[in-house]
Amino acid sequence: MATAIQKITLSSAQDIPFNKLVLSQSNVRRVKAGVSIDELAESIARRGLIQSLHVRPVLDADGQETGMYEVPAGGRRFRALQLLVKQKRLTKTSKVPCVVSDANAGILVDEVSLAENIERAPLHPLDQFRAFQAMREKGMTEEAIAAAFFAPVQVVKQRLRLAAVSPALLDIYAEDGITLEQLMAFTVTDDHARQEQVWESVRNSWQKEPYQIRRMLTETAVRASDKRAVFVGIDAYETAGGCVLRDLFQDDDGGWLQDPALLDRLAADKLKASAEAIAGDGWKWIEVAVSFPYGATHGLREIVGTPLDLTADEQAAIEALNAEYAKLEAEYEDADELPDEIDQRLGEIETALASFDERPVHYEPADIAIAGVFVNLDADGTLSIDRGYVRPEDEPANPADGGEGDEQHGGGDDADHQATHSVQRAVITIGGKPAEPDEEDDDDTIKPLPDRLITELTADRTLALRDKLATDPSVAFLAVLHKFCQDVFYGGSQYGFAMEVSVRGTTFHSQPEGLRDSVYARAIEARHDSWRKRLPAKVADLWDGLAALTGPEHAELFAHCASFGVNALYERADRYGGRVSAHSVEQRIAEADRLSLAVGLDMAEAGWRPTVANYLGRVTKPRILEAVREGAGERAAHLIAHLKKGDMATEAERLLAETGWLPEPLRNSGADAESTEADTGESDEALPDFLDGDDEETNTDDEEERHLAAAE
């Protein structure tokens, strides 16, 4: 005979006045967590009581019902209702929906309270993202959604952006196939096809960290901090139809501009407009480029203009600013720390005074007729205008003022920088050179570095060595004295000068991109401009001008001039029709090593870092692994050995960034090289997190909650 299935009976539901309810002492929730009572009260006021309370009748000593009910499950809702009553937004006798269980039930009230709290399934983050998206599509603004759920507007924007990721990737995320941090990385672009393409590329590889996903999604874009973007302006770029990718989950430095071609066109148009305005002054030629190579003015004579006098209003403004500055300094002379507003004001005064130093310059019409202008962008995106350069072929046949033209300009011929436009109308040419082919090389043999790469690396070293020598007068004296002794005691070949020594500036026919913006190039340029302003405008007055300088000033100027004679360049021995021999290049590099050791030059300290552009993308895979092995250790090299060359170079750049590693052409021989070798070794600290651990990813619930909190 079949056993009858016992039927269960659900507890009845009824409305109970709030003043008949009391919080059960058996409620297990004692620690505050989740939404605050204040926010829950506001939610109830907005939406009503979504979930009923669970209550039991309170019995007296005789086991009889007292008419009161205790609340073992729903304590936070009870406290929120209590707060609304206290705020007089709810009456004490308001009816509260309750599920009433039997007072004599065999189930402990503690069990009911615990079960109510632990049996709830948490909402998957994706469900929340999609719920926000649905409300947005039905007309609620981001601000309204934020107000309804007591969240910052930025959090709502972040979750809406997450919900807008490719549906295919969201489905994978729902099955825990993608972490929340990885999903955040995909939000930097709205292109679903590109998102899916990148995921297919990384899903089975080591390279699926969020930073790697962001890099792949933005590799064809331009940083908003790029000088072209700063010059054009993001608003102008977007007005022209350009799109900017933005990362809502971490600092993106302004985002990424997705249309480089549009940006280049806008920058070129704006540069050309600036040049055309200058052309009206009557200059013979105007060269325009986003960037000029270092040494672009080599062989050109610079005309020194006359700064215009200050107007009466400008002089009065300077005096007023100086007086205010002196007054504030005196007033706060004894203060340990300046108030913020005073410190800010002093900075404003300094900036205003500095602006008067850059005076407009007057050039003679005769000079303007034969000279030209360079227009380009500085590293910070500001417009740079360098006026007054005369090409050798434009020099007058009979120079005035005792032949200044021949004495003030060099006679070198630099074909790469010769004028291509000799008219009074600006012609914009965006410079550039073809990149070296990025070929896969699976050969494990470490081949010699390409001659061009060595030449470019040593161009960096030459400038850095010049900068270092210019700050060390004693070594500069010794270096030039060494040259004197070579000429006097070992058969010099220079004749026709009272002082048989010369400084010939070296031009870099092959140079790395960005050399002009390097730390050492900027330092040399600033030092040169400072001395140029102090020296007489005419060569006829130079002797008297030098005589007026002090001994230390002589030493500083001597070191600066001597530094321009430094040539640490590697060159192929067959250049210049055989006039440069392999022995002479070898001797030059040896002397450069000795000079580097004397001044204590360290290219890493000088600011050089191995990047994909200047080294790692230009050499073979074995060379990249050798660099990582020397700079970051054998373990780091092993962990990137399986990557394709492009990814390997990118990872190597990150691993070597702060190690101080240098390629051989940038190292000093002797003690400096030994120090470099001693510093290399195994270092776990150099490894990124995703390389420092097991292959398998572990995604616990705690980690997912932590990542979601990060999104907020």
Side-chain angles (χ1 to χ4, degrees), residues 465-514:
L465 186 52
R466 286 183 183 178
D467 182 39
K468 195 72 173 178
L469 182 64
T471 62
D472 196 331
S474 62
V475 176
F477 270 112
L478 181 60
V480 177
L481 181 59
H482 178 260
K483 177 61 167 59
F484 284 167
C485 291
Q486 284 183 321
D487 292 342
V488 174
F489 294 101
Y490 300 96
S493 59
Q494 298 178 357
Y495 302 96
F497 297 93
M499 179 65 71
E500 293 189 352
V501 67
S502 63
V503 177
R504 297 178 301 167
T506 304
T507 59
F508 306 123
H509 296 274
S510 179
Q511 60 180 264
E513 183 179 355

Short mmCIF file of all heavy atoms in Angstrom, two decimals, residues 465-514:
data_model
loop_
_atom_site.label_atom_id
_atom_site.label_comp_id
_atom_site.label_asym_id
_atom_site.label_seq_id
_atom_site.Cartn_x
_atom_site.Cartn_y
_atom_site.Cartn_z
N LEU A 465 76.79 62.65 -23.27
CA LEU A 465 78.17 62.90 -22.88
C LEU A 465 78.50 64.38 -23.00
O LEU A 465 79.20 64.95 -22.15
CB LEU A 465 79.11 62.06 -23.75
CG LEU A 465 80.59 62.09 -23.40
CD1 LEU A 465 80.82 61.77 -21.93
CD2 LEU A 465 81.36 61.11 -24.27
N ARG A 466 77.99 65.03 -24.05
CA ARG A 466 78.18 66.47 -24.15
C ARG A 466 77.59 67.19 -22.95
O ARG A 466 78.21 68.09 -22.36
CB ARG A 466 77.49 66.99 -25.43
CG ARG A 466 78.21 66.67 -26.72
CD ARG A 466 77.47 67.29 -27.90
NE ARG A 466 78.09 66.95 -29.17
CZ ARG A 466 77.61 67.34 -30.35
NH1 ARG A 466 76.49 68.06 -30.41
NH2 ARG A 466 78.23 66.99 -31.47
N ASP A 467 76.37 66.80 -22.59
CA ASP A 467 75.70 67.44 -21.45
C ASP A 467 76.48 67.23 -20.17
O ASP A 467 76.65 68.15 -19.37
CB ASP A 467 74.28 66.87 -21.33
CG ASP A 467 73.49 67.52 -20.21
OD1 ASP A 467 73.62 68.74 -20.02
OD2 ASP A 467 72.74 66.80 -19.51
N LYS A 468 76.97 66.02 -19.97
CA LYS A 468 77.71 65.71 -18.75
C LYS A 468 79.03 66.46 -18.71
O LYS A 468 79.44 67.00 -17.67
CB LYS A 468 77.95 64.20 -18.68
CG LYS A 468 78.39 63.70 -17.32
CD LYS A 468 77.26 63.72 -16.33
CE LYS A 468 77.66 63.04 -15.01
NZ LYS A 468 76.59 63.10 -14.02
N LEU A 469 79.75 66.52 -19.85
CA LEU A 469 81.04 67.21 -19.89
C LEU A 469 80.87 68.70 -19.65
O LEU A 469 81.72 69.33 -19.00
CB LEU A 469 81.70 66.97 -21.26
CG LEU A 469 83.09 67.60 -21.45
CD1 LEU A 469 84.08 66.99 -20.49
CD2 LEU A 469 83.55 67.44 -22.89
N ALA A 470 79.78 69.27 -20.14
CA ALA A 470 79.56 70.71 -19.97
C ALA A 470 79.37 71.10 -18.52
O ALA A 470 79.50 72.27 -18.17
CB ALA A 470 78.35 71.15 -20.80
N THR A 471 79.05 70.15 -17.66
CA THR A 471 78.87 70.45 -16.23
C THR A 471 80.09 70.07 -15.41
O THR A 471 80.05 70.12 -14.18
CB THR A 471 77.64 69.69 -15.69
OG1 THR A 471 77.86 68.28 -15.82
CG2 THR A 471 76.38 70.07 -16.44
N ASP A 472 81.18 69.68 -16.09
CA ASP A 472 82.40 69.28 -15.38
C ASP A 472 83.58 70.00 -16.01
O ASP A 472 84.32 69.44 -16.83
CB ASP A 472 82.57 67.76 -15.48
CG ASP A 472 83.57 67.23 -14.46
OD1 ASP A 472 84.49 67.99 -14.09
OD2 ASP A 472 83.43 66.07 -14.05
N PRO A 473 83.81 71.27 -15.65
CA PRO A 473 84.87 72.06 -16.30
C PRO A 473 86.25 71.44 -16.20
O PRO A 473 87.04 71.52 -17.13
CB PRO A 473 84.80 73.40 -15.56
CG PRO A 473 83.39 73.49 -15.05
CD PRO A 473 83.02 72.07 -14.71
N SER A 474 86.57 70.80 -15.09
CA SER A 474 87.92 70.25 -14.92
C SER A 474 88.18 69.16 -15.95
O SER A 474 89.27 69.10 -16.55
CB SER A 474 88.09 69.70 -13.50
OG SER A 474 87.17 68.65 -13.25
N VAL A 475 87.21 68.28 -16.18
CA VAL A 475 87.39 67.24 -17.18
C VAL A 475 87.39 67.84 -18.58
O VAL A 475 88.12 67.38 -19.47
CB VAL A 475 86.29 66.16 -17.04
CG1 VAL A 475 86.42 65.12 -18.15
CG2 VAL A 475 86.37 65.50 -15.68
N ALA A 476 86.58 68.88 -18.80
CA ALA A 476 86.55 69.54 -20.11
C ALA A 476 87.92 70.13 -20.44
O ALA A 476 88.42 70.01 -21.57
CB ALA A 476 85.47 70.61 -20.14
N PHE A 477 88.55 70.79 -19.43
CA PHE A 477 89.90 71.31 -19.63
C PHE A 477 90.86 70.19 -20.00
O PHE A 477 91.66 70.30 -20.92
CB PHE A 477 90.40 72.01 -18.36
CG PHE A 477 90.07 73.48 -18.32
CD1 PHE A 477 89.17 73.97 -17.40
CD2 PHE A 477 90.69 74.37 -19.19
CE1 PHE A 477 88.87 75.32 -17.35
CE2 PHE A 477 90.38 75.73 -19.15
CZ PHE A 477 89.47 76.20 -18.23
N LEU A 478 90.76 69.07 -19.25
CA LEU A 478 91.66 67.96 -19.49
C LEU A 478 91.45 67.38 -20.89
O LEU A 478 92.41 67.03 -21.58
CB LEU A 478 91.44 66.87 -18.43
CG LEU A 478 92.34 65.64 -18.52
CD1 LEU A 478 93.80 66.02 -18.39
CD2 LEU A 478 91.94 64.62 -17.46
N ALA A 479 90.18 67.28 -21.32
CA ALA A 479 89.88 66.71 -22.63
C ALA A 479 90.47 67.58 -23.75
O ALA A 479 91.07 67.07 -24.70
CB ALA A 479 88.38 66.57 -22.81
N VAL A 480 90.31 68.90 -23.62
CA VAL A 480 90.84 69.78 -24.65
C VAL A 480 92.37 69.84 -24.58
O VAL A 480 93.06 69.90 -25.60
CB VAL A 480 90.23 71.18 -24.52
CG1 VAL A 480 90.83 72.14 -25.54
CG2 VAL A 480 88.71 71.11 -24.73
N LEU A 481 92.91 69.80 -23.35
CA LEU A 481 94.37 69.77 -23.20
C LEU A 481 94.95 68.52 -23.85
O LEU A 481 96.02 68.56 -24.47
CB LEU A 481 94.74 69.81 -21.71
CG LEU A 481 96.24 69.82 -21.38
CD1 LEU A 481 96.92 71.04 -22.01
CD2 LEU A 481 96.45 69.78 -19.87
N HIS A 482 94.24 67.43 -23.73
CA HIS A 482 94.66 66.20 -24.39
C HIS A 482 94.74 66.40 -25.89
O HIS A 482 95.68 65.95 -26.56
CB HIS A 482 93.67 65.08 -24.03
CG HIS A 482 93.97 63.77 -24.68
ND1 HIS A 482 93.30 63.33 -25.81
CD2 HIS A 482 94.87 62.81 -24.38
CE1 HIS A 482 93.75 62.16 -26.16
NE2 HIS A 482 94.71 61.81 -25.32
N LYS A 483 93.75 67.12 -26.46
CA LYS A 483 93.76 67.42 -27.89
C LYS A 483 94.91 68.36 -28.24
O LYS A 483 95.59 68.21 -29.27
CB LYS A 483 92.42 68.05 -28.29
CG LYS A 483 92.33 68.47 -29.76
CD LYS A 483 92.49 67.29 -30.70
CE LYS A 483 92.09 67.65 -32.12
NZ LYS A 483 92.84 68.76 -32.70
N PHE A 484 95.18 69.35 -27.38
CA PHE A 484 96.31 70.25 -27.60
C PHE A 484 97.62 69.46 -27.68
O PHE A 484 98.44 69.67 -28.56
CB PHE A 484 96.41 71.27 -26.46
CG PHE A 484 95.38 72.37 -26.53
CD1 PHE A 484 95.18 73.21 -25.44
CD2 PHE A 484 94.63 72.59 -27.67
CE1 PHE A 484 94.26 74.22 -25.49
CE2 PHE A 484 93.70 73.60 -27.73
CZ PHE A 484 93.51 74.43 -26.64
N CYS A 485 97.78 68.55 -26.73
CA CYS A 485 99.02 67.78 -26.68
C CYS A 485 99.16 66.89 -27.92
O CYS A 485 100.27 66.70 -28.43
CB CYS A 485 99.08 66.93 -25.41
SG CYS A 485 99.26 67.92 -23.90
N GLN A 486 98.05 66.33 -28.39
CA GLN A 486 98.11 65.54 -29.61
C GLN A 486 98.61 66.39 -30.78
O GLN A 486 99.46 65.95 -31.57
CB GLN A 486 96.73 64.96 -29.94
CG GLN A 486 96.32 63.78 -29.08
CD GLN A 486 94.97 63.24 -29.51
OE1 GLN A 486 94.07 63.99 -29.84
NE2 GLN A 486 94.84 61.93 -29.48
N ASP A 487 98.10 67.63 -30.88
CA ASP A 487 98.49 68.50 -31.98
C ASP A 487 99.95 68.96 -31.86
O ASP A 487 100.69 69.00 -32.85
CB ASP A 487 97.57 69.73 -32.03
CG ASP A 487 96.14 69.36 -32.41
OD1 ASP A 487 95.95 68.26 -32.97
OD2 ASP A 487 95.23 70.16 -32.15
N VAL A 488 100.37 69.32 -30.63
CA VAL A 488 101.70 69.92 -30.43
C VAL A 488 102.81 68.88 -30.42
O VAL A 488 103.87 69.07 -31.01
CB VAL A 488 101.71 70.74 -29.12
CG1 VAL A 488 103.11 71.25 -28.82
CG2 VAL A 488 100.74 71.90 -29.23
N PHE A 489 102.54 67.76 -29.74
CA PHE A 489 103.62 66.79 -29.54
C PHE A 489 103.57 65.60 -30.50
O PHE A 489 104.55 64.87 -30.63
CB PHE A 489 103.59 66.25 -28.11
CG PHE A 489 103.90 67.30 -27.08
CD1 PHE A 489 102.87 67.89 -26.36
CD2 PHE A 489 105.20 67.69 -26.83
CE1 PHE A 489 103.14 68.87 -25.42
CE2 PHE A 489 105.48 68.67 -25.88
CZ PHE A 489 104.46 69.27 -25.18
N TYR A 490 102.43 65.40 -31.18
CA TYR A 490 102.32 64.21 -32.02
C TYR A 490 101.94 64.54 -33.46
O TYR A 490 101.35 63.73 -34.17
CB TYR A 490 101.27 63.24 -31.43
CG TYR A 490 101.64 62.77 -30.04
CD1 TYR A 490 101.11 63.41 -28.92
CD2 TYR A 490 102.52 61.72 -29.86
CE1 TYR A 490 101.46 63.01 -27.64
CE2 TYR A 490 102.87 61.30 -28.58
CZ TYR A 490 102.34 61.94 -27.47
OH TYR A 490 102.69 61.54 -26.21
N GLY A 491 102.27 65.76 -33.88
CA GLY A 491 102.11 66.09 -35.29
C GLY A 491 100.72 66.47 -35.71
O GLY A 491 100.11 65.77 -36.51
N GLY A 492 100.21 67.57 -35.17
CA GLY A 492 98.89 68.05 -35.57
C GLY A 492 98.89 68.50 -37.01
O GLY A 492 99.92 68.83 -37.59
N SER A 493 97.75 68.56 -37.61
CA SER A 493 97.66 68.89 -39.03
C SER A 493 96.82 70.13 -39.29
O SER A 493 96.33 70.33 -40.38
CB SER A 493 97.03 67.71 -39.79
OG SER A 493 95.74 67.43 -39.28
N GLN A 494 96.63 70.97 -38.26
CA GLN A 494 95.82 72.17 -38.43
C GLN A 494 96.74 73.39 -38.57
O GLN A 494 97.70 73.54 -37.81
CB GLN A 494 94.88 72.37 -37.23
CG GLN A 494 93.88 71.24 -37.07
CD GLN A 494 92.99 71.45 -35.85
OE1 GLN A 494 93.17 72.40 -35.12
NE2 GLN A 494 92.04 70.56 -35.65
N TYR A 495 96.46 74.24 -39.55
CA TYR A 495 97.29 75.41 -39.79
C TYR A 495 96.40 76.62 -40.06
O TYR A 495 95.24 76.47 -40.42
CB TYR A 495 98.21 75.18 -41.00
CG TYR A 495 99.12 73.98 -40.83
CD1 TYR A 495 98.75 72.75 -41.36
CD2 TYR A 495 100.31 74.09 -40.14
CE1 TYR A 495 99.57 71.64 -41.22
CE2 TYR A 495 101.14 72.99 -39.99
CZ TYR A 495 100.77 71.77 -40.52
OH TYR A 495 101.58 70.68 -40.36
N GLY A 496 96.97 77.83 -39.90
CA GLY A 496 96.28 79.05 -40.28
C GLY A 496 95.46 79.68 -39.18
O GLY A 496 94.73 80.64 -39.44
N PHE A 497 95.56 79.19 -37.95
CA PHE A 497 94.78 79.78 -36.85
C PHE A 497 95.73 80.14 -35.72
O PHE A 497 96.73 79.45 -35.48
CB PHE A 497 93.72 78.80 -36.35
CG PHE A 497 92.68 78.44 -37.38
CD1 PHE A 497 92.84 77.32 -38.18
CD2 PHE A 497 91.56 79.25 -37.56
CE1 PHE A 497 91.90 77.00 -39.14
CE2 PHE A 497 90.61 78.92 -38.51
CZ PHE A 497 90.78 77.80 -39.31
N ALA A 498 95.41 81.19 -34.99
CA ALA A 498 96.24 81.59 -33.86
C ALA A 498 96.20 80.53 -32.78
O ALA A 498 97.21 80.26 -32.13
CB ALA A 498 95.77 82.93 -33.30
N MET A 499 95.08 79.94 -32.56
CA MET A 499 94.93 78.84 -31.60
C MET A 499 94.54 77.60 -32.40
O MET A 499 93.45 77.53 -32.96
CB MET A 499 93.85 79.15 -30.57
CG MET A 499 93.62 78.04 -29.55
SD MET A 499 95.04 77.73 -28.50
CE MET A 499 95.01 79.20 -27.49
N GLU A 500 95.45 76.65 -32.49
CA GLU A 500 95.23 75.52 -33.38
C GLU A 500 94.38 74.44 -32.71
O GLU A 500 94.84 73.34 -32.43
CB GLU A 500 96.57 74.96 -33.85
CG GLU A 500 97.31 75.94 -34.75
CD GLU A 500 98.53 75.32 -35.40
OE1 GLU A 500 98.87 74.18 -35.03
OE2 GLU A 500 99.13 75.97 -36.27
N VAL A 501 93.14 74.77 -32.45
CA VAL A 501 92.15 73.81 -31.95
C VAL A 501 90.80 74.28 -32.46
O VAL A 501 90.58 75.47 -32.66
CB VAL A 501 92.16 73.72 -30.41
CG1 VAL A 501 91.68 75.02 -29.78
CG2 VAL A 501 91.30 72.55 -29.93
N SER A 502 89.93 73.37 -32.73
CA SER A 502 88.61 73.75 -33.24
C SER A 502 87.56 72.84 -32.64
O SER A 502 87.84 71.73 -32.21
CB SER A 502 88.58 73.64 -34.78
OG SER A 502 88.79 72.29 -35.17
N VAL A 503 86.34 73.35 -32.58
CA VAL A 503 85.19 72.56 -32.14
C VAL A 503 84.26 72.43 -33.34
O VAL A 503 83.71 73.41 -33.82
CB VAL A 503 84.45 73.23 -30.97
CG1 VAL A 503 83.24 72.42 -30.59
CG2 VAL A 503 85.38 73.40 -29.77
N ARG A 504 84.12 71.23 -33.83
CA ARG A 504 83.25 70.98 -34.98
C ARG A 504 82.02 70.23 -34.50
O ARG A 504 82.13 69.10 -34.04
CB ARG A 504 83.98 70.15 -36.03
CG ARG A 504 85.21 70.85 -36.63
CD ARG A 504 85.88 69.93 -37.63
NE ARG A 504 86.29 68.69 -36.99
CZ ARG A 504 86.69 67.60 -37.67
NH1 ARG A 504 86.68 67.63 -38.98
NH2 ARG A 504 87.06 66.52 -37.03
N GLY A 505 80.87 70.86 -34.59
CA GLY A 505 79.64 70.19 -34.17
C GLY A 505 79.35 68.98 -35.04
O GLY A 505 79.47 69.04 -36.26
N THR A 506 79.01 67.88 -34.42
CA THR A 506 78.72 66.64 -35.14
C THR A 506 77.23 66.57 -35.48
O THR A 506 76.38 66.76 -34.61
CB THR A 506 79.09 65.42 -34.30
OG1 THR A 506 80.46 65.52 -33.93
CG2 THR A 506 78.85 64.13 -35.06
N THR A 507 76.91 66.31 -36.73
CA THR A 507 75.51 66.14 -37.12
C THR A 507 75.17 64.65 -37.10
O THR A 507 76.02 63.80 -37.34
CB THR A 507 75.25 66.70 -38.53
OG1 THR A 507 76.09 66.03 -39.46
CG2 THR A 507 75.52 68.20 -38.57
N PHE A 508 73.90 64.37 -36.82
CA PHE A 508 73.44 62.99 -36.71
C PHE A 508 72.59 62.66 -37.93
O PHE A 508 71.39 62.92 -37.96
CB PHE A 508 72.64 62.79 -35.42
CG PHE A 508 73.38 63.24 -34.19
CD1 PHE A 508 72.84 64.20 -33.34
CD2 PHE A 508 74.62 62.71 -33.89
CE1 PHE A 508 73.53 64.61 -32.22
CE2 PHE A 508 75.31 63.10 -32.76
CZ PHE A 508 74.77 64.06 -31.92
N HIS A 509 73.22 62.09 -38.95
CA HIS A 509 72.49 61.75 -40.17
C HIS A 509 71.48 60.64 -39.89
O HIS A 509 70.48 60.51 -40.57
CB HIS A 509 73.46 61.32 -41.26
CG HIS A 509 74.39 62.41 -41.69
ND1 HIS A 509 74.05 63.35 -42.64
CD2 HIS A 509 75.64 62.75 -41.25
CE1 HIS A 509 75.06 64.20 -42.80
NE2 HIS A 509 76.02 63.86 -41.98
N SER A 510 71.75 59.82 -38.91
CA SER A 510 70.81 58.78 -38.48
C SER A 510 70.60 58.95 -36.98
O SER A 510 71.56 58.91 -36.21
CB SER A 510 71.40 57.39 -38.77
OG SER A 510 70.51 56.38 -38.33
N GLN A 511 69.37 59.20 -36.59
CA GLN A 511 69.10 59.45 -35.17
C GLN A 511 67.76 58.86 -34.78
O GLN A 511 66.86 58.75 -35.59
CB GLN A 511 69.12 60.95 -34.88
CG GLN A 511 68.09 61.77 -35.64
CD GLN A 511 68.15 63.24 -35.30
OE1 GLN A 511 67.41 63.71 -34.45
NE2 GLN A 511 69.06 63.97 -35.97
N PRO A 512 67.63 58.48 -33.49
CA PRO A 512 66.37 57.90 -33.03
C PRO A 512 65.27 58.95 -32.95
O PRO A 512 65.54 60.14 -32.76
CB PRO A 512 66.71 57.37 -31.64
CG PRO A 512 67.86 58.22 -31.19
CD PRO A 512 68.65 58.54 -32.43
N GLU A 513 64.05 58.52 -33.10
CA GLU A 513 62.90 59.41 -32.99
C GLU A 513 62.83 59.98 -31.58
O GLU A 513 63.02 59.28 -30.60
CB GLU A 513 61.62 58.66 -33.31
CG GLU A 513 60.37 59.52 -33.29
CD GLU A 513 59.12 58.74 -33.63
OE1 GLU A 513 59.26 57.55 -33.98
OE2 GLU A 513 58.03 59.31 -33.55
N GLY A 514 62.57 61.27 -31.48
CA GLY A 514 62.44 61.89 -30.17
C GLY A 514 63.75 62.33 -29.54
O GLY A 514 63.77 62.75 -28.39
#
